[in-house]
Amino acid sequence: MVSDFVHQYEKVLDARYFKEKEKDVQTKSTRAVMKTLWKIEADAASVYTRKSFMIFQDELFNSQWYIPTKVGKEDERRIYGVTLNGKEQPIYHVTLESGDAKAICTCHMFEFVGILCRHILCVFKKKSKLNMLPHHYILERWTINAKSRAILDIPNSDGYVMTHDDPMISKSKLRMQFYDIAELGSQSPQKYNHLSLALDKVHKELLFMEDIEGKKI
């Protein structure tokens, strides 16, 4: 039945969301280990999710083993042939646009994955462009804040549109907040005791508020 399908679909979304939330907490609460001294690596670690950063870091680290050679020029564009050190094949061609900040590689990793490839990073290294990650190469879907924007109107399975004041939306937001708080509270006995006492206090206050509101009715 459609109602059963919607219920199961929502459960799957919930499970997937909290899995992603767990990864987000890990990204924000732990520091990534740097493998190079280039500033672009630390810059990427501050904006990418941990999984996305590890893909970028792998490309950056491996770019050290590639050699770029200028092979041509078309107007304001410069073309580089990039090969693995000590090998002639395969060769990847990186076209560097005017201004040196934009580049296209024949491997098309950025077009397919959304993260810069080792061949472009290799050319950027030659041009001393590894101080920061160019903003036009940062796709929002791979960043820490990709899911931070509020969703104001959400239709449910009955066609009813839930606004940001809807109890279901409020409950969802609280669950997100509680997950972050629980992660922090579990890091040490001191934090756990502090959080436990605070939650007990808030719980009693909410029960008191509920009692007062019930008497008004």
Side-chain angles (χ1 to χ4, degrees), residues 106-140:
T106 51
C107 79
H108 296 297
M109 177 175 174
F110 181 77
E111 287 79 7
F112 287 112
V113 180
I115 292 177
L116 282 175
C117 67
R118 60 193 65 184
H119 317 115
I120 290 178
L121 290 169
C122 172
V123 174
F124 280 178
K125 179 181 65 176
K126 179 181 177 68
K127 304 296 293 183
S128 300
K129 295 292 181 180
L130 292 181
N131 285 330
M132 63 180 296
L133 187 61
H135 64 88
H136 48 270
Y137 284 121
I138 303 174
L139 299 190
E140 188 178 11

Side-chain angles (χ1 to χ4, degrees), residues 10 22 48 56 106 119 122 151 163 185 198:
E10 289 174 346
E22 185 178 16
Y48 281 139
F56 174 84
T106 51
H119 317 115
C122 172
I151 301 174
T163 66

Side-chain angles (χ1 to χ4, degrees), residues 41-54:
E41 184 179 16
D43 190 31
S46 69
V47 295
Y48 281 139
T49 63
R50 185 57 48 80
K51 184 176 181 179
S52 301
F53 169 69
M54 290 178 69

Side-chain angles (χ1 to χ4, degrees), residues 75-106:
D75 298 325
E76 296 299 317
R77 299 177 178 178
R78 279 156 292 175
I79 304 172
Y80 292 84
V82 180
T83 55
L84 191 62
N85 190 16
K87 294 188 177 182
E88 296 182 358
Q89 296 291 336
I91 183 169
Y92 299 91
H93 290 96
V94 174
T95 302
L96 199 62
E97 301 284 350
S98 175
D100 294 346
K102 291 186 178 181
I104 300 173
C105 181
T106 51

